[in-house]
Amino acid sequence: MEAVGLSAQFWRGKRVLLTGHTGFKGSWLSLWLESLGAQVSGFALDPGTEPSLFELARVAEGIDDHRGDLRDLGSLLELIARTEPEIVLHLAAQPLVREAYRDPLGTYSSNVMGTLNLLEAIRQVGGVRACVLVTTDKVYANQEWLWPYRENEPLGGHDPYSSSKACCELLAQSYASSFFPAQRHDEHGLALATARAGNVLGGGDFAPERLIPDVLKAWSAGEPVTLRYPQAVRPWQHALEPLAGYLQLAAGLYQQGPEFAGAWNFGPSEQDMCSVGDVVELLARHWPAAPGLRIEPSELHEAGLLRLDSSRARQLLGWQPRWSLEQCLTQTLDWHLAWKGGADMRAVTLGQLNLYRGAL
């Protein structure tokens, strides 16, 4: 039986604003919310890749699709006033570490000012009961130690992307304290939380300079994949894992208010926190005559070790990872091969979503 936060009984008819619905995770979440009966309004830029999961899975068919820039406060105010969302899920962002090195100004503008505008629009219009701001596991001041980070660890950000997301965490804390304090919840009615997830994998991710898309692109062309830092350890998980957490968190905020406010980690099981090289090796087991890899170290800083402690989500939300890394990679590869074979990718994507929901 699905948890309350993942059941159609809770989500049916709920008015949801989802930012970043044209992205990789946003597309998966749009389909999930639609399948639960939610009334979804999406707000985002056009898909950032060609092809894209959004187009291949025909995500726009089941939601109210709006295009715009979060840096345009007026558009946000108008949309929120018109759609009257009860729940806001904020996924829109510039999500790539190396792109942030190339364009730090654009990254800070999109991630920080975009989040600020969303919070301000919510404050001005009112009516939202639950808001989940998605940041990243990279918001921590990473000391590259062996034990996993908990939500009360210090924030940091060596690179522009990580720093921009840590800024979003501080924005959320400030707005929660200044405008949506727990002791005045009866007046303003909003509960606000941030969600920090690890490195997500899954079918339909075509973003450049991400591990699995790079591997599949290279191997499909019969070429070895180039790795910058094969020994780097990351918290790998299928995109559906943290998305389940966001849904459960949003439901908790909606039903319990400030009790579920604050920061939350959504990371994989300890055994699935492995190196980049290990992930490629696992994937190669399912790829006939995989062309292998080559190593070209990068001059840009990238963390070598990052682990998450998700005890809070496990204990208070009842959330936990359902798919092993092996299952995650198998599903990702199956999706990719189905796409290459000309399958109906909306049906394939919904099929994998239903398979995951069956594991809950």
Side-chain angles (χ1 to χ4, degrees):
M1 182 177 178
E2 287 185 319
V4 172
L6 301 173
S7 69
Q9 183 178 0
F10 171 81
W11 286 100
R12 188 176 296 113
K14 291 288 191 302
R15 299 184 303 277
V16 180
L17 173 61
L18 172 60
T19 73
H21 69 291
T22 60
F24 167 56
K25 287 171 69 177
S27 293
W28 276 103
L29 188 52
S30 295
L31 293 172
W32 198 338
L33 285 165
E34 179 196 348
S35 73
L36 292 172
Q39 298 177 18
V40 183
S41 297
F43 185 82
L45 300 172
D46 292 338
T49 62
E50 174 57 47
S52 70
L53 176 59
F54 182 82
E55 296 292 349
L56 291 173
R58 307 192 302 281
V59 174
E61 289 182 4
I63 67 170
D64 188 14
D65 177 22
H66 298 271
R67 304 299 171 87
D69 195 321
L70 284 169
R71 290 168 288 193
D72 181 355
L73 177 59
S75 293
L76 279 172
L77 287 167
E78 179 183 352
L79 179 64
I80 291 176
R82 180 156 47 86
T83 59
E84 299 182 327
E86 303 165 83
I87 297 173
V88 173
L89 298 165
H90 175 46
L91 274 66
Q94 192 298 98
L96 302 173
V97 172
R98 292 172 69 81
E99 175 61 25
Y101 276 112
R102 289 188 289 267
D103 183 16
L105 183 61
T107 298
Y108 281 105
S109 175
S110 176
N111 295 355
V112 181
M113 291 308 300
T115 299
L116 177 58
N117 280 342
L118 178 65
L119 287 169
E120 182 60 16
I122 290 171
R123 184 184 75 84
Q124 289 190 30
V125 177
V128 176
R129 288 183 54 173
C131 178
V132 177
L133 304 179
V134 175
T135 59
T136 175
D137 58 347
K138 297 173 181 63
V139 298
Y140 294 105
N142 191 359
Q143 306 299 316
E144 307 224 6
W145 52 40
L146 294 176
W147 51 89
Y149 290 92
R150 297 170 297 176
E151 289 88 347
N152 59 355
E153 306 280 2
L155 299 175
H158 182 284
D159 59 273
Y161 168 74
S162 303
S163 172
S164 75
K165 286 298 196 172
C167 288
C168 293
E169 291 278 351
L170 294 174
L171 275 176
Q173 293 174 17
S174 175
Y175 262 69
S177 299
S178 301
F179 306 115
F180 312 118
Q183 62 271 25
R184 288 169 42 205
H185 183 258
D186 289 344
E187 299 174 28
H188 57 73
L190 175 67
L192 174 65
T194 60
R196 306 164 180 176
N199 289 45
V200 295
L201 313 175
D205 186 4
F206 295 98
E209 299 175 328
R210 279 190 182 154
L211 179 60
I212 301 302
D214 285 353
V215 171
L216 296 179
K217 182 177 180 180
W219 288 358
S220 294
E223 300 173 353
V225 64
T226 299
L227 301 181
R228 300 185 299 272
Y229 202 175
Q231 66 270 36
V233 174
R234 298 285 185 269
W236 308 99
Q237 57 192 158
H238 195 282
L240 292 173
E241 302 279 23
L243 295 183
Y246 305 163
L247 292 174
Q248 289 180 258
L249 176 55
L253 293 167
Y254 187 94
Q255 295 175 319
Q256 304 295 329
E259 181 180 339
F260 285 87
W264 298 78
N265 285 339
F266 296 99
S269 302
E270 179 65 25
Q271 63 267 25
D272 289 331
M273 297 187 191
C274 59
S275 73
V276 170
D278 289 338
V279 171
V280 176
E281 190 174 305
L282 279 171
L283 193 60
R285 297 177 188 175
H286 302 279
W287 191 282
L293 58 88
R294 58 173 172 252
I295 301 172
E296 293 182 5
S298 171
E299 295 181 358
L300 301 178
H301 173 269
E302 294 187 54
L305 179 62
L306 181 58
R307 301 174 185 269
L308 289 181
D309 183 328
S310 304
S311 299
R312 187 185 186 205
R314 292 171 185 265
Q315 294 176 15
L316 300 183
L317 292 175
W319 174 88
Q320 62 179 337
R322 302 291 177 170
W323 278 352
S324 67
L325 180 57
E326 183 82 22
Q327 289 173 295
C328 167
L329 293 173
T330 299
Q331 293 298 315
T332 302
L333 185 55
D334 286 349
W335 193 100
H336 181 81
L337 295 176
W339 167 59
K340 284 291 189 179
D344 179 340
M345 296 316 297
R346 181 178 176 86
V348 170
T349 307
L350 288 172
Q352 292 197 348
L353 172 59
N354 289 333
L355 183 66
Y356 180 81
R357 289 178 63 185
L360 294 171

